[in-house]
Amino acid sequence: MTAAEENKDLYRGEQWFIAPDEIQRTPPPPPPGTSSVFVEALNIAMGEVKVIGAYLSLFCTRIEWALKLKGVEYEYIEEDLKNKSPILINSNPVHKKVPVLLHHDNPIVESLLILEYIDEVWKEKPLLPQDPYQKAIARFWAKFADEKCVWGAWGACQAEGEEKEKAAESAMESFAFLEKQIEGKMFFGGEEIGYLDLALGWIPHWLNVMEEVGDLKLVDAEKFPLLQEWTQRFIQVPIIKECLPAREKLVNYFTASLSYTRSLKASHQ
């Protein structure tokens, strides 16, 4: 595999958003005076659940959101996707991508599947609807958003000329379906944040940066008023807000990514 092919592979799949090497997320030390027994118990609990992720990844952030909403303690392991660690390769030997959830050393991969696993294991504050039909609908729209909206938005961001207009139109058609799903609701999960909210949680932050870097607007208040209202409600929830990566770092990352993908495309013309 050539260096160019190896770099290109970094932009595929759920690990697409790469954390800069210098960014590390480590748990804060316990407050002064904390009981050693409590600290030991906390370390044991965190050892049971680990998240292998990347700081800027929307796919990884949704896993942290779910665990925090459930009140689950976990250890976060920052992965260097340019120099993949043995723990990632051993945990996800098929795709070698983040996120990976380790529960009692058992690996679960693919972010939407991880969300379902979390909801199955920790019953408090359910994320998915209990009704089988509504549960299937939530799964459908989550998969739709990952396949059509995430990649549609990025495609429009990096396109140029006439291609950009067509790509933006196609992406907005996909977002229009999501606009209908939020009608009459506070959140996609109803009165509280649910599975589909977490799956779409990239829209208020990551999409906004994509639009800035790509010099376009896909989801505005005029065309998508309900989606816009939802983004404001969602992003102001404290647990959601505290996990968001720094906007400046996202801008820098997307700017570099856009430059890379365009130069790669130019080299093949």
Side-chain angles (χ1 to χ4, degrees):
M1 179 181 289
T2 66
E5 289 172 332
E6 184 175 354
N7 286 335
K8 184 177 179 181
D9 183 61
L10 294 175
Y11 293 86
R12 295 176 180 153
E14 294 209 332
Q15 67 177 43
W16 174 41
F17 300 99
I18 305 168
D21 294 339
E22 71 274 9
I23 296 175
Q24 298 291 328
R25 184 182 300 176
T26 56
T34 303
S35 165
S36 60
V37 175
F38 173 80
V39 172
E40 182 179 356
L42 179 61
N43 288 336
I44 292 173
M46 290 179 66
E48 295 177 354
V49 182
K50 300 177 182 178
V51 177
I52 306 173
Y55 175 65
L56 300 182
S57 169
L58 67 90
F59 302 105
C60 298
T61 301
R62 61 175 57 154
I63 306 308
E64 292 199 85
W65 282 336
L67 291 171
K68 287 181 180 294
L69 285 170
K70 294 278 190 176
V72 178
E73 297 288 346
Y74 63 95
E75 177 185 350
Y76 181 87
I77 302 172
E78 179 70 23
E79 181 64 33
D80 178 1
L81 295 173
K82 295 178 182 178
N83 183 26
K84 297 177 182 178
S85 65
I87 190 173
L88 174 62
I89 294 172
N90 292 333
S91 300
N92 190 0
V94 176
H95 300 300
K96 302 178 179 65
K97 296 173 181 175
V98 294
V100 176
L101 178 76
L102 295 173
H103 185 209
H104 297 298
D105 293 325
N106 294 318
I108 303 94
V109 301
E110 302 293 332
S111 65
L112 294 181
L113 296 180
I114 295 173
L115 289 182
E116 293 191 38
Y117 179 85
I118 290 171
D119 206 34
E120 286 280 341
V121 174
W122 294 279
K123 303 294 185 181
E124 300 83 1
K125 298 182 179 179
L127 301 174
L128 279 161
Q130 298 303 302
D131 178 74
Y133 174 74
Q134 294 300 327
K135 185 179 294 185
I137 292 299
R139 287 169 172 160
F140 170 83
W141 287 115
K143 188 171 185 290
F144 171 87
D146 273 7
E147 293 178 352
K148 297 293 185 181
C149 297
V150 173
W151 298 107
W154 177 239
C157 178
Q158 62 181 310
E160 298 178 277
E162 293 183 3
E163 289 185 8
K164 192 178 194 71
E165 185 177 341
K166 292 178 181 178
E169 183 178 346
S170 177
M172 286 189 284
E173 288 176 359
S174 296
F175 282 110
F177 286 107
L178 301 182
E179 174 82 358
K180 293 179 181 179
Q181 296 305 308
I182 194 65
E183 285 182 0
K185 302 176 184 176
M186 283 285 291
F187 298 101
F188 286 93
E191 293 300 312
E192 297 183 355
I193 289 174
Y195 168 85
L196 188 52
D197 294 279
L198 300 185
L200 302 178
W202 60 277
I203 294 175
H205 197 54
W206 283 263
L207 177 61
N208 187 265
V209 172
M210 274 192 254
E211 291 173 328
E212 177 183 329
V213 172
D215 192 25
L216 79 169
K217 192 65 180 176
L218 298 174
V219 177
D220 60 29
E222 183 177 347
K223 293 180 180 178
F224 303 103
L226 302 180
L227 206 51
Q228 274 291 326
E229 290 174 8
W230 167 80
T231 63
Q232 296 305 311
R233 285 193 294 269
F234 180 80
I235 205 169
Q236 292 304 319
V237 175
I239 283 178
I240 301 302
K241 200 170 186 178
E242 72 183 35
C243 288
L244 295 175
R247 179 182 175 83
E248 181 182 355
K249 295 186 183 297
L250 273 182
V251 170
N252 292 340
Y253 170 71
F254 276 116
T255 300
S257 299
L258 186 59
S259 177
Y260 170 77
T261 54
R262 285 178 174 173
S263 63
L264 192 67
K265 183 179 178 180
S267 68
H268 286 83
Q269 289 179 345

